[in-house]
């Protein structure tokens, strides 16, 4: 198409690339000032798909090209050569429209460590007020929780006797009960709080974007996929993108804010000539600004999905595999917005230590009253539970790298799971701890029988290898545009790109180290802080 046919979008102060979790927050906060004009670009479509609002709909939004980019990892040596589906949201609300809805901040230690790494303003005492400001906590206001914010947090609207027993079994092996995982230390066993409102998924789009979408100074474009950033005189000036397949360009008088996530943000930077020089030259891209850390430092939570057959217990397997059971679940949801259709993928959480010498928990369990071979497959035909356990602070590091100068080409995703010896040992220890919990007296009634990895897997070496056979991602990629001041840092502690003006990154990619739990709500906190810093710099 001739350059004169490019559709132009001018007169914007700020362009936000990505209307996922972070982008929705940024659009809300920046457009609150009527004196600035904000453009929000989203490569996916509107979030009007039926299954987005229904909590159990994650089963139909993941691996669905309407709502998911449908990425795949490379074949992973640590997973014995397997590749994994790597869901990333492709709709307004991004991953918050397809994820597990668990409200989790992580541990105070996580943020204090960021501060100790030289990132001023990112300690627990700094971020706790930011979490509270966004929050609308059903349990009421306290020193730890806020009310009246956009981000609704509620308890779950169903219960399972077998999960109650698992929680009791945890106490019998020395893991205390915990009623609130978001108090700075999340040690213990309890039920997850969820981002729902009366049984309906509460995505970032519902919370932050839809209430302000009609502001005169906010323009939201869907099916607008970024191709690259444009630059002049040492600063970013705008974005080239496709709008419904047509070439378009938007210019930003003040800043472009990348909020495309831990896969999308480094991909866009690399396509723009910002990143490791050798990688860019290999793909015929001129190096506009060399930053070796772009796309590196990928961290993710790998969940080891141990499955136990049970007896004398109701699980979702039987209900979902029965026509009457499915009809009952649907009716319960339609009439009362309760029951299994309100389910987050995981209901019971456990945070504990793989080694008593550790200061804080390094393991997280997601315990589920169901079992399947992998997401997207049918539930097993027998009653069972899944006790997924992950290493919260993996030592393994991976990367995101472009595979072509074509923005439509999917990037190479290599998490390098279980490549660190420490991670393999923790995986073995975690499976042994799972067996201790399931073998506690509280579970005797259900006669648990290990289905995966199987009781024949006994040695640490065999257990760590078996972990590679049954583990999957919990969809928490972070760190690929990390914050810091070392040679591999991509942004500084005000989230400005190092060495280049007019550009910030504000999403989970800026985390220098992964938080100790689910990462969606920390991403909201990051976006809140980014918006506040952008406003401060505008006023300066």
């Amino acid at each position: 198409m001739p350059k004169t046919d490019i559709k132009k979008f001018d007169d914007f102060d700020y362009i936000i690339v990505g209307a996922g979790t972070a982008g929705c927050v940024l659009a809300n906060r920046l457009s609150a000032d009527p004196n600035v004009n904000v453009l929000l670009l989203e490569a996916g479509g509107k979030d009007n798909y039926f299954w987005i609002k229904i909590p159990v709909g994650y089963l139909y939004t993941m691996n669905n090209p309407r709502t998911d980019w449908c990425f795949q990892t490379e074949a992973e040596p640590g997973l014995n050569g397997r590749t994994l589906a790597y869901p990333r949201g492709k709709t307004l609300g991004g991953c918050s429209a397809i994820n597990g809805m668990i409200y989790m901040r992580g541990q105070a230690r996580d943020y204090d460590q960021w501060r100790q790494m030289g990132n001023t303003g990112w300690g627990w005492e700094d971020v706790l007020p930011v979490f509270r400001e966004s929050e609308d906590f059903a349990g009421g206001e306290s020193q730890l929780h806020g009310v009246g914010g956009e981000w609704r947090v509620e308890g779950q609207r169903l219960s399972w006797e077998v999960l109650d027993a698992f929680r009791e079994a945890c106490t019998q092996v020395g893991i205390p009960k915990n009623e609130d995982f978001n108090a700075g230390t999340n040690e213990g066993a309890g039920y997850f709080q969820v981002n729902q409102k009366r049984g309906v998924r509460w995505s970032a789009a519902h919370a932050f974007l839809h209430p302000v979408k009609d502001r005169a100074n906010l323009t939201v474009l869907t099916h607008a996929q970024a191709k690259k950033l444009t630059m002049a005189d040492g600063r970013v000036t705008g974005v080239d993108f496709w709008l419904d397949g047509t070439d378009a360009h938007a210019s930003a008088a003040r800043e472009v804010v990348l909020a495309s996530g831990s896969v999308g943000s480094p991909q866009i930077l690399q396509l723009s000539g910002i990143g490791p020089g050798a990688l860019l030259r290999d793909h015929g891209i001129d190096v506009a600004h060399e930053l070796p850390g772009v796309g590196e430092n990928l961290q993710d939570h790998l969940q080891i999905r141990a499955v136990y057959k049970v007896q004398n217990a109701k699980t979702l397997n039987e209900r979902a595999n029965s026509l009457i059971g499915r009809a009952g679940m649907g009716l319960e949801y339609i009439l009362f917005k309760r029951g299994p259709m309100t389910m987050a993928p995981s209901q019971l959480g456990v945070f504990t230590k793989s080694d008593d010498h550790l200061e804080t928990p390094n393991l997280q369990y997601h315990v589920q009253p169901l079992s399947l071979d992998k997401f997207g497959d049918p539930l097993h035909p027998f009653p069972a539970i899944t006790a997924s356990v992950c290493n919260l602070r993996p030592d393994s590091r991976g990367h995101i790298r472009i595979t072509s100068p074509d923005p439509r080409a999917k990037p190479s995703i290599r998490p390098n799971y279980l490549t660190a010896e420490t991670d393999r040992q923790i995986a073995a220890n975690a499976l042994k701890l799972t067996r201790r919990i399931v073998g506690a007296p509280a579970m005797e009634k259900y006669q648990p029988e290990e289905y995966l990895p199987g009781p024949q897997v006994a040695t640490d070496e065999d257990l760590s290898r078996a972990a590679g056979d049954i583990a999957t991602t919990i969809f928490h990629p972070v760190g690929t545009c990390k914050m810091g001041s070392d040679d591999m840092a991509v942004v500084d502690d005000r989230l400005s790109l190092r060495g280049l003006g007019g550009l910030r990154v504000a999403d989970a990619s800026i985390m220098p180290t992964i938080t100790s739990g689910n990462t969606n709500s920390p991403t909201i906190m990051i976006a809140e802080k980014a918006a506040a810093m952008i406003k401060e710099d505008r006023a300066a």
Side-chain angles (χ1 to χ4, degrees):
M1 178 176 289
K3 196 172 183 64
T4 54
D5 292 339
I6 295 175
K7 189 166 186 177
K8 300 250 184 198
F9 292 83
D10 297 318
D11 301 321
F12 290 102
D13 295 286
Y14 301 105
I15 300 172
I16 303 163
V17 184
T21 298
C24 289
V25 175
L26 288 158
N28 181 304
R29 300 309 190 222
L30 294 180
S31 67
D33 182 348
N35 296 312
V36 302
N37 288 316
V38 179
L39 174 63
L40 178 63
L41 302 177
E42 169 52 43
K46 295 181 179 179
D47 60 332
N48 54 4
Y49 184 42
F50 171 78
W51 284 110
I52 288 176
K53 291 185 178 181
I54 298 175
V56 80
Y58 67 88
L59 293 170
Y60 306 100
T61 54
M62 289 186 182
N63 301 314
N64 179 342
R66 175 172 178 169
T67 48
D68 180 5
W69 284 98
C70 299
F71 293 131
Q72 291 275 333
T73 70
E74 301 291 340
E76 287 283 294
L79 303 185
N80 306 319
R82 292 189 301 132
T83 64
L84 297 182
Y86 215 69
R88 297 284 87 197
K90 186 184 176 185
T91 180
L92 293 177
C95 290
S96 73
I98 69 171
N99 71 359
M101 299 161 285
I102 292 172
Y103 180 71
M104 186 65 59
R105 298 169 177 170
Q107 298 171 7
R109 173 194 182 279
D110 302 330
Y111 304 101
D112 289 342
Q113 183 182 40
W114 292 4
R115 181 182 59 198
Q116 290 159 10
M117 296 168 71
N119 297 301
T120 302
W122 291 89
W124 174 248
E125 291 183 359
D126 302 304
V127 303
L128 178 58
V130 184
F131 280 114
R132 290 184 72 254
E133 183 179 357
S134 298
E135 189 180 15
D136 185 22
F137 183 56
E141 188 172 13
S142 68
Q143 290 184 335
L144 293 169
H145 291 283
V147 297
E150 294 88 348
W151 199 224
R152 182 66 175 174
V153 180
E154 297 184 349
Q156 297 179 60
R157 299 168 70 88
L158 75 168
S159 62
W160 300 87
E161 182 184 277
V162 69
L163 298 189
D164 293 338
F166 193 99
R167 188 186 189 195
E168 191 60 36
C170 287
T171 68
Q172 292 171 345
V173 300
I175 303 170
K177 292 182 179 179
N178 188 336
E179 301 298 334
D180 186 358
F181 289 134
N182 291 295
T185 173
N186 47 20
E187 186 164 15
Y191 286 92
F192 291 122
Q193 297 160 355
V194 291
N195 294 119
Q196 295 181 11
K197 194 163 189 176
R198 293 188 291 275
V200 175
R201 175 189 290 274
W202 199 242
S203 73
H206 281 97
F208 295 96
L209 184 60
H210 291 321
V212 303
K213 62 182 175 59
D214 294 327
R215 284 176 178 167
N217 63 333
L218 174 62
T219 301
V220 181
L221 298 179
T222 55
H223 302 292
Q225 183 175 354
K227 294 193 288 185
K228 66 177 182 177
L229 308 173
T230 57
M231 288 164 265
D233 302 322
R235 66 181 291 110
V236 171
T237 58
V239 184
D240 287 339
F241 61 101
W242 287 295
L243 180 61
D244 290 318
T246 299
D247 286 337
H249 174 80
S251 57
R254 292 188 174 272
E255 293 189 47
V256 173
V257 187
L258 274 184
S260 297
S262 292
V263 176
S265 287
Q267 181 185 21
I268 292 168
L269 289 173
Q270 292 169 8
L271 290 167
S272 306
I274 302 170
L279 172 69
L280 305 183
R281 286 187 287 268
D282 283 348
H283 292 291
I285 296 173
D286 292 336
V287 180
H289 183 63
E290 183 149 4
L291 269 181
V294 173
E296 302 301 305
N297 192 47
L298 174 62
Q299 299 156 62
D300 191 13
H301 287 145
L302 183 73
Q303 60 176 344
I304 305 167
R305 295 178 56 80
V307 174
Y308 288 83
K309 294 182 178 180
V310 293
Q311 300 182 36
N312 309 312
K314 292 181 180 178
T315 73
L316 189 62
N317 288 12
E318 310 92 88
R319 294 192 69 177
N321 286 320
S322 157
L323 181 60
I324 294 175
R326 291 196 298 273
M329 289 190 294
L331 190 61
E332 187 177 8
Y333 186 76
I334 291 169
L335 294 177
F336 307 111
K337 292 294 188 290
R338 292 187 176 275
M341 290 191 72
T342 69
M343 280 176 58
S346 303
Q347 294 77 55
L348 183 72
V350 184
F351 290 84
T352 189
K353 303 170 186 176
S354 65
D355 184 326
D356 289 338
H357 295 96
L358 293 171
E359 178 188 355
T360 62
N362 69 325
L363 298 180
Q364 178 182 7
Y365 281 85
H366 293 76
V367 192
Q368 306 152 337
L370 57 86
S371 66
L372 39 71
D373 288 333
K374 63 179 184 296
F375 286 111
D377 284 1
L379 297 180
H380 288 143
F382 47 79
I385 64 169
T386 302
S388 297
V389 59
C390 76
N391 177 3
L392 288 169
R393 296 189 285 273
D395 289 327
S396 301
R397 295 290 184 272
H399 57 250
I400 304 288
R401 294 175 184 167
I402 55 171
T403 57
S404 165
D406 184 350
R408 292 163 294 199
K410 292 182 178 181
S412 170
I413 301 173
R414 184 171 289 285
N416 285 328
Y417 296 121
L418 297 176
T419 53
E421 177 58 36
T422 50
D423 293 350
R424 292 193 292 274
Q425 185 60 57
I426 289 171
N429 292 346
L431 283 169
K432 288 187 286 187
L433 175 59
T434 305
R435 288 172 172 172
R436 283 182 57 212
I437 295 170
V438 174
M443 292 294 292
E444 286 180 0
K445 169 184 174 182
Y446 304 104
Q447 301 177 41
E449 175 189 347
E450 186 172 325
Y451 178 72
L452 290 175
Q456 75 282 357
V457 182
T459 68
D460 284 4
E461 182 179 356
D462 288 345
L463 284 167
S464 62
R465 180 173 179 80
D469 288 330
I470 63 175
T472 62
T473 174
I474 320 180
F475 326 121
H476 297 166
V478 308
T480 51
C481 297
K482 80 167 186 173
M483 172 174 59
S485 56
D486 61 275
D487 290 343
M488 295 299 287
V490 176
V491 298
D492 61 22
D493 58 16
R494 294 187 69 78
L495 306 187
S496 295
L497 199 85
R498 298 177 66 223
L500 192 63
L503 178 64
R504 294 189 211 231
V505 183
D507 54 36
S509 72
I510 68 93
M511 294 186 188
T513 54
I514 195 166
T515 52
S516 299
N518 309 73
T519 53
N520 192 237
S521 289
T523 301
I524 285 179
M525 179 276 294
I526 289 166
E528 291 276 25
K529 283 184 66 67
M533 290 186 285
I534 291 168
K535 290 179 180 180
E536 289 168 3
D537 290 352
R538 175 179 167 82

